[in-house]
Amino acid sequence: MSVKVAADDMHELGTDRRAVLASALGWAAAMGVVRELAQFGATFVGEARADEPAAGTPAEPPAKKPFSADEIKELARKLAASDYSLTSVELPEPFNKLSYDQYRDIRFKPDQAIWRGQKLDTEIQLFPLGWLYDVPVEIWVVENGEARQLTADNHLFTLGPLVGKAAPDNAPFGFSGFRIHGPINRADYLDEYVVFQGASYLRAVGRGENYGASARGLAINTARAGGEEFPYFRGFWIEKPTPGQPGIVVHALLDSPSVAGAYRFIIQPGESTIMDVDVTLFTRKGIPHIGYAPLTSMYLFSPANLRRFNDFRPAVHDSDGLAVLNGGGERLWRPLINHKTLQISAFVDKDPKGFGLAQRKRNFHGYEDLEAHYEHRPTVWVEPKGAWGEGVIELIEIPVDVEIHDNIVVFWKPAKGLEGKTQYDFSYRLNWGEAVPAAWSGAWVDATRVGKAKEADKTLFVIDFTGPAVKDLRDMPVCDLTNSTGQVANVVVQKNPEVSGVRVSFELNPDGAELVELRCALKAGDQWISESWMYRWTKP
């Protein structure tokens, strides 16, 4: 099934939500500052294309610099050895106060796409500064071992009537990011499938999907006292693919007050879009609260929440649960909840095999939204490479009232923070697709439903399990149910032919507690046959 979204609109889905999440965690202050680029000799030069010269190409040939991945590491090492300084970006009117619609009225010219007409399966389009994006980034194209920096000027963009009277020649063009296009849905059309824009955010989709959850380069001091430190990618080096090469390699330089880093993304689009990420960090100082491979998403409500929204739709979310495959091989499923207060959960682990934010409900009637089509949002799965040691998978749930807000964050937090003046290397894979890629023959949670029981002080839980382990049952499995406090009663396990599986229901009496941790899994004899359902109930 192919779902086509216009290229000019696709990257905008959820951009608003990232800004609000930044504000909610004290990140917004970082959005108005930018590191000086002068020390790297940054001068904009043109990128010529084979089909036609780029408009505005200077008379002098484009400057070229030898390139290697080690060079990015060396840049990061030198950054970390120097003092971190910030320079405010002041855009002239009307670019200093563009609305969302005005910013979208500054459009990249598709005929100026990088590698247009070169018979490659990849094209690059660029984003200008403005609106939320006031931190310029350098963008370089790498070919035959040499890098050329791209020019940001009026020849690449058009200003629509919503922007105002400023002439294009006076526009403060600079790059805020880029998007990658390829034949991910159709062989004869290059759809957008990856975006890098804003701080260290990136987003991707698999075949037939729309943007949903995002990834980031790094999380520092998230939801901690003093506010979050917001690293950003200050430069990108994009390797030109060869004809017939379906993927692309992107290098990025990350910078923040505490750390600098070199990133390499090897990106392969397809049914699921795969990113292999190699990271080298150089710390300026100690970082007690660091998050590797952070993901963010939006969750407003679903049947897993006690209903408090007067909305015709049965669910509104980009992701409905946290999935974990821990170091011991146990699979966990934690339904996301829009609590009334900020919640932080930590899942202790050693050498995790994978974790991610999943979108399991895959039919239109689960959402009934003709515009958002939440059923097409990707599941994003992080697969660590090598041993990540001891730590926790940390889940942060922020209360929100509208769906424009990204309010879910998850990442791996090492048990020990990072030391100052030290190099750290780690790698992982990001999978953007329909489901968690780790195949399994057991049972998983198909749905969680929560409502009021007949007695006012009790809550009713209904959990549906599906999968090979419960498809053709001879004997009913046993439900292993635990609760941290309060009392559970009326536990019922029965077949559910509608999902070819099993339904578990029970009632919770919190006995005055404001928070109860619940855990449920299915057993056949002495064998665990399902993932472990984990739920945090908080007082409504």
Side-chain angles (χ1 to χ4, degrees), residues 9-24:
D9 299 328
M10 202 168 176
H11 77 280
E12 301 293 353
L13 299 173
T15 307
D16 236 13
R17 302 200 303 269
R18 298 202 300 271
V20 179
L21 176 60
S23 177

Side-chain angles (χ1 to χ4, degrees), residues 314-386:
V316 175
H317 50 71
D318 285 337
S319 309
D320 58 358
L322 167 65
V324 175
L325 178 56
N326 67 23
E330 183 184 11
R331 295 170 185 264
L332 311 177
W333 175 252
R334 169 69 149 72
L336 299 176
I337 302 297
N338 187 0
H339 302 270
K340 285 193 173 182
T341 58
L342 174 70
Q343 298 293 314
I344 301 177
S345 305
F347 303 85
V348 179
D349 201 1
K350 180 180 180 181
D351 298 335
K353 293 181 172 63
F355 65 92
L357 294 174
Q359 184 78 320
R360 284 193 171 173
K361 189 61 66 176
R362 288 295 175 185
N363 63 79
F364 170 78
H365 297 297
Y367 308 93
E368 296 289 348
D369 194 319
L370 289 171
E371 296 181 358
H373 283 290
Y374 290 112
E375 68 273 16
H376 296 310
R377 304 300 167 99
T379 288
V380 188
W381 181 252
V382 177
E383 182 183 343
K385 296 183 179 181

Side-chain angles (χ1 to χ4, degrees), residues 46-256:
E47 162 67 7
R49 289 174 291 282
D51 54 328
E52 59 179 1
T57 300
E60 295 295 325
K64 296 180 181 180
K65 294 182 179 181
F67 173 83
S68 70
D70 289 339
E71 178 188 2
I72 311 304
K73 293 182 181 180
E74 182 62 17
L75 288 175
R77 186 188 66 79
K78 289 180 178 179
L79 267 181
S82 63
D83 292 335
Y84 183 81
S85 62
L86 300 174
T87 300
S88 298
V89 175
E90 297 181 3
L91 300 177
E93 292 187 356
F95 302 95
N96 61 343
K97 51 185 178 182
L98 293 177
S99 68
Y100 168 78
D101 289 329
Q102 286 176 315
Y103 178 74
R104 292 190 58 200
D105 216 24
I106 304 176
R107 295 183 176 267
F108 184 84
K109 298 176 181 178
D111 63 352
Q112 294 292 303
I114 309 304
W115 307 317
R116 171 63 64 95
Q118 295 194 22
K119 297 182 180 180
L120 300 176
D121 285 334
T122 305
E123 290 184 359
I124 305 295
Q125 295 191 17
L126 307 165
F127 295 128
L129 291 174
W131 189 43
L132 301 174
Y133 307 110
D134 51 7
V135 177
V137 298
E138 295 183 0
I139 298 179
W140 300 71
V141 171
V142 178
E143 183 178 4
N144 297 325
E146 294 183 322
R148 293 182 292 178
Q149 190 177 0
L150 303 185
T151 304
D153 59 27
N154 62 303
H155 298 89
L156 297 179
F157 300 95
T158 60
L159 298 183
L162 297 178
V163 177
K165 298 181 180 180
D169 288 341
N170 297 327
F173 287 116
F175 297 129
S176 64
F178 64 96
R179 57 191 180 192
I180 304 173
H181 295 242
I184 188 169
N185 295 316
R186 289 166 34 190
D188 61 343
Y189 189 86
L190 302 186
D191 274 310
E192 175 187 343
Y193 66 92
V194 174
V195 165
F196 288 83
Q197 187 183 30
S200 64
Y201 279 102
L202 58 137
R203 317 177 84 192
V205 293
R207 184 170 298 128
E209 294 176 340
N210 299 339
Y211 285 135
S214 302
R216 287 190 284 149
L218 207 61
I220 301 177
N221 211 43
T222 307
R224 295 303 194 282
E228 177 160 355
E229 182 177 313
F230 215 151
Y232 63 89
F233 289 132
R234 56 178 294 175
F236 295 95
W237 290 257
I238 308 170
E239 294 190 22
K240 182 178 181 179
T242 58
Q245 177 183 337
I248 190 169
V249 178
V250 175
H251 305 263
L253 179 66
L254 180 135
D255 196 16
S256 81

Side-chain angles (χ1 to χ4, degrees), residues 3 12 53 66 74 128 138 154 164 269 304 321 331 347 412 422 427 440 442 473 498 520 525:
V3 178
E12 301 293 353
E74 182 62 17
E138 295 183 0
N154 62 303
R331 295 170 185 264
F347 303 85
W412 170 256
T422 305
S427 300
W440 193 39
L473 288 172
E498 297 300 320
C520 175

